[in-house]
């Protein structure tokens, strides 16, 4: 608690509610670690703990969507094979449209792979058992 108070004083009182790019606050971190002392200290420093309840509903919905989403067939492997079989002489050929289509397909495949990784990260984060669900 004392260290958290010191950090909040150094960074400013609004730091207890600052969000990361993904929307996480210090309260989210403390809750994920089941650190009730840190949560109490954050509350005493003015942290908005209501975000936890709102996010719990959103997380449950995301968990449901992630579990129901069909997995694309090995998109990283598809992209690797496409890149490995690209013909360097294609730049000399007049059929640049075909190359553009291949690049668009590769881009889509890589985007699909990125989404798959994001879903897996979310699945793993959501797989951590919560104290009240035990």
């Amino acid at each position: 608690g004392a260290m958290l108070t010191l950090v909040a004083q150094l960074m400013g009182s609004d730091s207890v509610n600052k969000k990361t790019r993904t929307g996480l606050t210090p309260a989210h971190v403390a809750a994920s670690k089941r650190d009730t002392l840190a949560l109490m200290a954050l509350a005493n420093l003015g942290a908005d703990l209501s975000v936890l309840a709102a996010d719990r509903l959103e997380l449950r919905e995301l968990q449901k969507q992630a579990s129901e989403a069909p997995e694309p067939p090995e998109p990283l492997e598809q992209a690797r094979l496409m890149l490995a079989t690209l013909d360097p002489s294609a730049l000399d050929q007049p059929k640049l449209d075909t190359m553009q289509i291949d690049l668009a397909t590769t881009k889509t495949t890589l985007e699909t792979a990125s989404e798959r990784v994001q879903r897996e990260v979310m699945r793993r984060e959501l797989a951590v058992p919560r104290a009240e669900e035990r």
Side-chain angles (χ1 to χ4, degrees), residues 24-64:
L24 297 178
T25 65
H28 289 99
V29 176
S32 72
K33 296 178 183 285
R34 297 183 184 90
D35 189 342
T36 54
L37 292 176
L39 281 170
M40 289 188 314
L42 285 166
N44 287 337
L45 292 168
D48 179 13
L49 300 185
S50 67
V51 296
L52 299 175
D55 287 346
R56 175 166 299 289
L57 294 174
E58 186 177 340
L59 284 173
R60 285 191 179 142
E61 180 59 30
L62 288 172
Q63 184 178 24
K64 180 181 174 192

Side-chain angles (χ1 to χ4, degrees), residues 25-109:
T25 65
H28 289 99
V29 176
S32 72
K33 296 178 183 285
R34 297 183 184 90
D35 189 342
T36 54
L37 292 176
L39 281 170
M40 289 188 314
L42 285 166
N44 287 337
L45 292 168
D48 179 13
L49 300 185
S50 67
V51 296
L52 299 175
D55 287 346
R56 175 166 299 289
L57 294 174
E58 186 177 340
L59 284 173
R60 285 191 179 142
E61 180 59 30
L62 288 172
Q63 184 178 24
K64 180 181 174 192
Q65 289 174 7
S67 68
E68 295 172 353
E71 289 296 324
E74 303 299 330
L76 287 175
E77 182 62 20
Q78 288 177 10
R80 187 190 66 74
L81 288 172
M82 290 171 73
L83 291 172
T85 58
L86 278 180
D87 180 10
S89 66
L91 294 174
D92 300 331
Q93 297 173 6
K95 296 183 179 182
L96 292 179
D97 289 341
T98 303
M99 190 172 88
Q100 275 188 317
I101 291 169
D102 289 345
L103 288 173
T105 303
T106 302
K107 177 183 179 226
T108 302
T109 302

